[in-house]
Amino acid sequence: MLVLGIETSCDETAVAVVEDGVRVLSNTLATSRALFEELAGVIPEEAARQQLLCMIPVLKQALREANATMKDIDVIAVTRGPGLLGSLLVGTSTARMLAETFGKPIVGVHHTLGHLSSTWLDTKTPPLFPVLTLSASGGHTDLWYRTSHTKGELIGRTRDDAAGEAFDKGASLLGLPYPGGPSVAKAAEGGNTNAYEFPSPLKQDDTLDFSFSGLKTSLKYLLRDLEGSFDMKDMAASFQDAICEHLLSRLRKAADHYAKAASIHLVGGVSANKRLRELAKDALTDREVLVPSSLGYCTDNAAMIAAAGYFLLQEHPTLAEETFTTNASLPLEATIG
Ligand code: KG4
Ligand code: ZN
């Protein structure tokens, strides 16, 4: 089954063609990020304007690279939320227009189900359930235990900032460019991870929830107290490790509790982090640790949405006949529902 995936939840315009949820025939993306780098954030109206301009060229390119036409496509899958409303509407309107014009079924996908599906992309042996997944991005950080693509539970979530947001806000405090994850990681190369001390968030808490706002505040006060006299490499390395260690302390606890999980997956933009991957291998030696097969599948992309659409229809075939809404605040609980 050939699925055309469309993803426009933030500043990216992404279209992909994926076969049977795993084989990526094309994964095309245009981003207006460079426009927003200096502003350390995205301007929603401007992002949507750029997406309107890019959508049709990106769609054409994705089809061309997959050596396909709309006739070959079996289903259209599109991100229906959460995200920036104007951006989401560019994607869902395009998907609805294509479905109508070419008489194709269409399925709306929760952005997070896309991330949860990203470890299936381009795999020869698809992972076996149950799986435990840490999904950590700029907008969300959560832990899932699933017995199938759409069955399972949300077992932990952030109470304030997302892990990627901690990287982004930390980078801004350090004067490093947006997005913060890659720039903090780059600044941290060769740095001493123990040079500066950060608190361990939610240390006494026995849930699997996360909290990152305290780390950002600690960095702010540390920088204020040091009055500009600090080593950037060491500071970035210590801050990066504090974020990674908090993520892994929760993941380790979840792995012990959900002993049946056959593998542990790290997905979302933050899963591109090399140090996180290194530390995860050390912390989770008793389990197979999987990350998306390419860095482009960690950050937002349309291949993961096409895969999620395929898995959704495999498990709930009637969804193709149902309508869906575009919802900027689609709750996390609706991810696999
Ligand atoms: O999944 P994604 O592309 O978009 C959202 O759904 O939010 O994730 C973007 C987030 C940003 O906060 C960015 O700083 C972070 O992922 N990120 C990273 C790395 N690459 C992207 N964080 C840490 N290390 C990286 N290498
Ligand atoms: Zn995302």
Side-chain angles (χ1 to χ4, degrees), residues 123 161 169 254:
T123 50
D161 291 349
K169 289 180 175 171

Side-chain angles (χ1 to χ4, degrees), residues 33 111 115 136-140 164-165 167-168 179-182 185 240 268-270 272-274 298-300:
R33 184 145 293 177
H111 180 78
H115 281 299
S137 269
H140 57 93
E165 203 176 349
F167 274 111
D168 295 338
Q240 174 174 248
V270 176
N273 190 275
K274 256 204 226 152
C298 297
T299 44
D300 289 348

Side-chain angles (χ1 to χ4, degrees), residues 2 10 39 47 54 85 89 117 148 151 172 190 228 247 275 308 323 337:
L2 274 197
C10 189
L39 303 161
C54 294
L85 185 59
L89 283 170
S117 307
S148 85
K151 284 204 192 75
S172 160
L247 288 169
R275 181 69 179 154
T323 54

Side-chain angles (χ1 to χ4, degrees), residues 171-182:
S172 160
L173 291 168
L174 290 166
L176 297 169
Y178 172 84

Side-chain angles (χ1 to χ4, degrees), residues 197-242:
E197 208 177 314
F198 286 92
S200 307
L202 301 178
K203 213 174 174 181
Q204 308 301 331
D205 181 279
D206 63 1
T207 70
L208 292 168
D209 285 348
F210 303 90
S211 167
F212 292 97
S213 65
L215 288 178
K216 169 205 65 194
T217 309
S218 300
L219 176 64
K220 185 172 161 188
Y221 290 130
L222 193 54
L223 294 176
R224 183 198 62 188
D225 295 346
L226 292 169
E227 295 175 352
S229 157
F230 66 91
D231 184 279
M232 179 63 92
K233 250 201 251 174
D234 291 351
M235 185 62 81
S238 304
F239 183 62
Q240 174 174 248
D241 263 42

Side-chain angles (χ1 to χ4, degrees), residues 72-94:
D72 305 315
I73 300 296
D74 297 300
V75 175
I76 299 166
V78 60
T79 305
R80 71 182 193 96
L84 303 173
L85 185 59
S87 297
L88 288 167
L89 283 170
V90 175
T92 51
S93 309
T94 307

